[in-house]
């Protein structure tokens, strides 16, 4: 619905009062410009990050009648949800995170025979993969790794404790760790929807040692003696454990601080948002022609005198109505092409004195093109912080924006895939634990093949072979 317009007195020009046609909401809000700015443009994005590293604060939660301590994630324990909101509100950061997740996924987690180095097809392994949807688990891992720099997987053992039969990914944003013990490790992880003040569906999982999860599991299940005591226990009754995969960051925080958080602490995230918001309101408020109206100071009295209006209150109402008539004449579509006849006088010097003069402001100017270069600069800065070349996600399209050739894009993608190797090594830890614990490590190996782009003349055939497992093999 079109916003109503009104005349706003902006100054004088000799005997004339100068008015500009503006949206009524702007006219009514002039006395509260500061509050209007905050409402439309919002505050800075760095709020909520000040206490991201504080692991000395400990809170408690009651689960099954027992009190558990945990370290809140951020000052208000809402930091991961805050990050989700900020990423989702910006199309550049959203697309960069999707691109990072897809590139990290590669060709997915795959199992190979150690002897032949071909895709493993053993029934026991195929059954395990199908029942655990490992490709989905791995994709969820890749997403959490790019958002929060860590993932948590739950491993479940059979009733007799001899085999790992299930792997389930836990959303990192719902995970909270216990305070570190004397060894510098968290002993358990609590999984709950922390958006709620008192989450009722909270779960607690014992957390395996981050450095040596396999050895810790072997000791807990009584397969190996405890290195500290040299004694072997009968084994715990627990059958569900958590394994955390963490990207190393400076300071070794309980909750890693991803490097891309700098976009929220820096100014570029806010700059991009402010430019987009400003352009939107500029276009909305200037899409229709703007007018400057000069009205002689005697015009209002002449209108009332010609109609014989002498009562002061009625004169005010008539002047208000006349102002509305001028506004509608300038803004109503049905008045397009019509003329408005007003009187004028000629003074002794021969100069004309018109009662009403209307000028079109910026009629030949296309609004909304301001700050285009600044927006491109802000998009490039965001892509740089996210580790994505802007041309890989189309953040700066067009030939004039240093758009690379196909060969350059191919090399950029191959480079991006190559630097995912450390991420894969960390993400594969729970699967190596599963392979060793189940006794499959001597027969099978785990890999995450890269997607490598080449030219058509080097690979004239591209064959996708389905072997009944989770995905096919790409054969060069």
């Amino acid at each position: 619905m079109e916003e109503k317009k009104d005349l706003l007195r902006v100054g004088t020009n000799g005997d004339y009062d100068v008015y500009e046609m503006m949206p009524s909401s702007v006219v009514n809000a002039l006395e509260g410009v500061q509050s209007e700015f905050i409402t439309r443009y919002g505050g800075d994005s760095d709020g909520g990050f000040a206490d991201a590293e504080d692991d000395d604060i400990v809170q408690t939660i009651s689960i099954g009648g027992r009190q558990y301590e945990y370290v809140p994630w951020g000052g208000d324990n809402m930091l991961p949800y805050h990050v989700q909101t900020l990423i989702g509100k910006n199309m550049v950061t959203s697309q960069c995170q999707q691109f990072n997740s897809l590139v990290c996924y590669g060709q997915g987690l795959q199992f190979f025979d150690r002897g032949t180095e071909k895709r493993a097809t053993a029934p026991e392994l195929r059954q395990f993969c199908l029942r655990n949807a490992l490709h989905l688990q791995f994709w969820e891992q890749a997403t959490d790794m790019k958002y929060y720099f860590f993932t948590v997987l739950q491993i479940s053992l059979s009733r007799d404790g001899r085999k790992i039969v299930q792997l389930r990914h836990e959303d990192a944003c719902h995970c909270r760790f216990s305070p570190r013990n004397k060894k510098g490790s968290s002993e358990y992880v609590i999984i709950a929807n922390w958006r709620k003040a008192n989450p009722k569906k909270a779960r607690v999982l014992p957390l395996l040692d981050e450095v040596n999860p396999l050895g810790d599991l072997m000791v807990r299940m009584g397969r190996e003696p405890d290195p500290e005591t040299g004694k072997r226990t009968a084994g715990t009754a627990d059958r569900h454990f958590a394994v955390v995969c963490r990207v190393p960051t400076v300071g070794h925080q309980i909750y890693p601080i991803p490097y891309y958080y700098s976009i929220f602490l820096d100014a570029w995230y806010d700059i991009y948002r402010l430019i987009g918001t400003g352009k939107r309101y500029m276009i909305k408020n200037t899409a229709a022609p703007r007018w400057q109206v000069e009205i002689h100071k005697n015009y209002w009295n002449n209108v009332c005198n010609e109609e014989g209006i002498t009562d002061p209150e009625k004169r005010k109402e008539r002047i208000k109505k006349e102002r509305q008539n001028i506004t509608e004449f300038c803004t109503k579509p049905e008045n397009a092409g019509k003329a408005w006849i007003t009187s004028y006088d000629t003074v002794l010097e021969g100069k004309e004195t018109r009662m009403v003069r209307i000028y079109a402001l910026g009629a030949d100017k296309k609004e909304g093109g301001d700050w285009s270069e600044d927006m491109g600069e802000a998009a490039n800065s965001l892509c740089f912080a996210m580790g994505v070349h802007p041309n890989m996600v189309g953040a700066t399209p067009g030939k004039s924006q240093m758009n690379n050739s196909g060969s350059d894009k191919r090399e950029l993608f191959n480079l991006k895939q190559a630097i995912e190797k450390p991420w894969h090594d960390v993400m594969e830890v729970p699967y190596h634990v599963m392979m060793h614990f189940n006794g499959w490590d001597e027969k099978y190996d785990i890999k995450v093949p890269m997607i490598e782009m080449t030219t058509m003349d080097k690979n004239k055939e591209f064959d996708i072979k389905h072997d009944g497992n989770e995905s096919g093999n790409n054969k060069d």
Side-chain angles (χ1 to χ4, degrees):
M1 183 175 63
E2 183 181 359
E3 188 172 6
K4 292 183 178 180
K5 302 292 192 303
D6 198 358
L7 287 173
L8 177 68
R9 185 176 180 273
V10 295
T12 59
N13 183 10
D15 293 333
Y16 293 90
D17 291 326
V18 180
Y19 295 81
E20 282 195 17
M21 201 79 64
M22 291 188 177
S24 299
S25 60
V26 176
V27 176
N28 297 333
L30 284 178
E31 295 181 355
V33 173
Q34 185 176 5
S35 60
E36 175 74 7
F37 179 86
I38 295 175
T39 300
R40 287 188 173 187
Y41 293 94
D44 294 338
S45 62
D46 57 357
F49 288 84
D51 300 325
E53 299 183 68
D54 192 354
D55 58 358
D56 294 332
I57 303 175
V58 176
Q59 297 181 1
T60 59
I61 183 174
S62 178
I63 303 175
R66 178 181 172 184
Q67 296 293 321
Y68 290 89
E69 292 185 338
Y70 67 92
V71 177
W73 194 346
D76 58 356
N77 199 31
M78 294 291 113
L79 183 58
Y81 307 118
H82 184 49
V83 171
Q84 285 183 26
T85 301
L86 291 174
I87 291 293
K89 284 185 175 181
N90 188 296
M91 65 179 180
V92 175
T93 54
S94 294
Q95 183 60 32
C96 283
Q97 285 295 55
Q98 182 191 32
F99 180 78
N100 280 330
S101 301
L102 293 175
V103 174
C104 184
Y105 180 83
Q107 293 190 43
L109 187 74
Q110 300 180 8
F111 295 88
F112 293 83
D113 287 317
R114 287 190 177 273
T116 62
E117 295 188 358
K118 295 182 179 180
R119 287 289 300 275
T121 59
E124 58 179 355
L125 189 59
R126 288 160 56 91
Q127 186 181 60
F128 183 88
C129 294
L130 290 173
R131 289 184 175 180
N132 286 277
L134 288 191
H135 279 353
L136 178 60
Q137 309 289 341
F138 191 73
W139 195 353
E140 291 178 341
Q141 274 188 283
T143 302
D144 271 353
M145 287 293 275
K146 293 304 180 179
Y147 267 80
Y148 305 116
F149 275 33
F150 78 93
T151 65
V152 175
L153 264 75
Q154 172 186 308
I155 62 173
S156 301
L157 279 64
S158 58
R159 183 173 299 180
D160 57 12
R162 295 182 179 181
K163 297 281 186 180
I164 294 177
V165 295
Q166 191 176 78
L167 291 176
R168 287 292 182 270
H169 175 266
E170 302 291 348
D171 288 327
C173 61
H174 296 330
C175 295
R176 300 295 183 271
F177 295 99
S178 67
R180 289 192 173 114
N181 55 25
K182 295 180 179 180
K183 298 180 181 179
S185 302
S186 297
E187 297 180 356
Y188 55 83
V189 58
I190 302 175
I191 299 127
N193 185 358
W194 301 97
R195 291 189 181 95
K196 300 180 179 180
N198 295 305
K200 297 181 180 180
K201 297 182 179 180
R203 297 182 291 118
V204 181
L205 289 176
L207 183 62
L208 297 179
D209 184 76
E210 293 184 27
V211 178
N212 184 19
L214 176 62
D216 189 8
L217 181 61
M218 298 291 278
V219 171
R220 291 178 187 239
M221 300 308 299
R223 290 194 181 186
E224 293 181 358
D226 189 336
E228 294 187 0
T229 62
K231 298 180 181 180
R232 181 179 301 187
T233 65
T236 178
D238 292 331
R239 292 296 182 265
H240 304 283
F241 302 92
V243 180
V244 61
C245 308
R246 191 189 306 269
V247 174
T249 54
V250 178
H252 188 61
Q253 303 90 356
I254 288 184
Y255 306 100
I257 301 178
Y259 300 111
Y260 78 86
Y261 278 13
S262 59
I263 64 174
F264 307 126
L265 304 175
D266 200 354
W268 285 108
Y269 180 91
D270 293 325
I271 290 173
Y272 185 92
R273 175 171 53 87
L274 290 171
I275 291 174
T277 305
K279 287 171 72 75
R280 177 174 63 185
Y281 281 99
M282 179 194 301
I283 294 172
K284 285 179 65 177
N285 293 330
T286 61
R290 293 180 297 165
W291 306 94
Q292 176 177 299
V293 182
E294 293 184 1
I295 302 176
H296 197 278
K297 294 179 179 180
N298 296 330
Y299 177 75
W300 309 113
N301 290 330
N302 292 343
V303 170
C304 295
N305 293 337
E306 289 178 2
E307 297 182 9
I309 302 174
T310 59
D311 183 81
E313 293 299 326
K314 292 183 178 180
R315 289 175 74 92
K316 289 182 181 179
E317 291 295 326
R318 182 63 183 90
I319 292 173
K320 182 178 179 181
K321 181 180 179 182
E322 186 65 16
R323 288 183 57 174
Q324 184 63 30
N325 292 338
I326 297 173
T327 302
E328 292 182 356
F329 176 81
C330 296
T331 58
K332 290 291 184 179
E334 58 267 23
N335 293 327
K338 293 183 179 180
W340 185 21
I341 301 174
T342 61
S343 62
Y344 72 92
D345 295 329
T346 305
V347 297
L348 294 177
E349 293 83 0
K351 184 179 179 180
E352 295 180 354
T353 303
R354 301 179 184 274
M355 290 291 101
V356 179
R357 291 188 289 190
I358 301 174
Y359 302 94
L361 299 178
D364 57 345
K365 180 181 178 182
K366 181 180 179 181
E367 299 290 351
D370 301 319
W371 308 318
S372 294
E373 293 183 0
D374 301 282
M375 196 161 211
E377 182 183 15
N380 287 341
S381 299
L382 294 177
C383 289
F384 171 76
M386 305 294 288
V388 179
H389 194 283
N391 287 334
M392 298 299 294
V393 293
T396 53
K399 295 182 179 179
S400 61
Q401 301 294 332
M402 298 178 64
N403 211 343
N404 300 89
S405 65
S407 299
D408 292 334
K409 289 185 174 67
R410 183 176 64 250
E411 295 304 320
L412 286 171
F413 183 83
N414 291 339
L415 176 62
K416 179 67 175 177
Q417 280 273 293
I419 62 178
E420 296 299 319
K421 179 63 166 59
W423 299 77
H424 294 162
D425 290 343
V426 174
M427 294 163 62
E428 291 172 5
V429 169
Y431 307 100
H432 284 293
V433 171
M434 179 270 297
M435 297 281 284
H436 283 74
F437 192 85
N438 289 356
W440 296 344
D441 56 301
E442 295 184 359
K443 297 182 291 182
Y444 312 118
D445 193 12
I446 303 172
K447 294 180 182 179
V448 181
M450 305 293 185
I451 299 176
E452 183 177 357
M453 291 187 179
T454 60
T455 56
M456 294 285 290
D457 58 336
K458 291 184 179 179
N459 292 281
K460 297 181 180 180
E461 295 182 0
F462 185 75
D463 178 36
I464 300 179
K465 181 179 179 181
H466 293 279
D467 59 1
N469 208 333
E470 311 79 38
S471 68
N473 289 327
N474 296 339
K475 186 166 62 177
D476 295 338

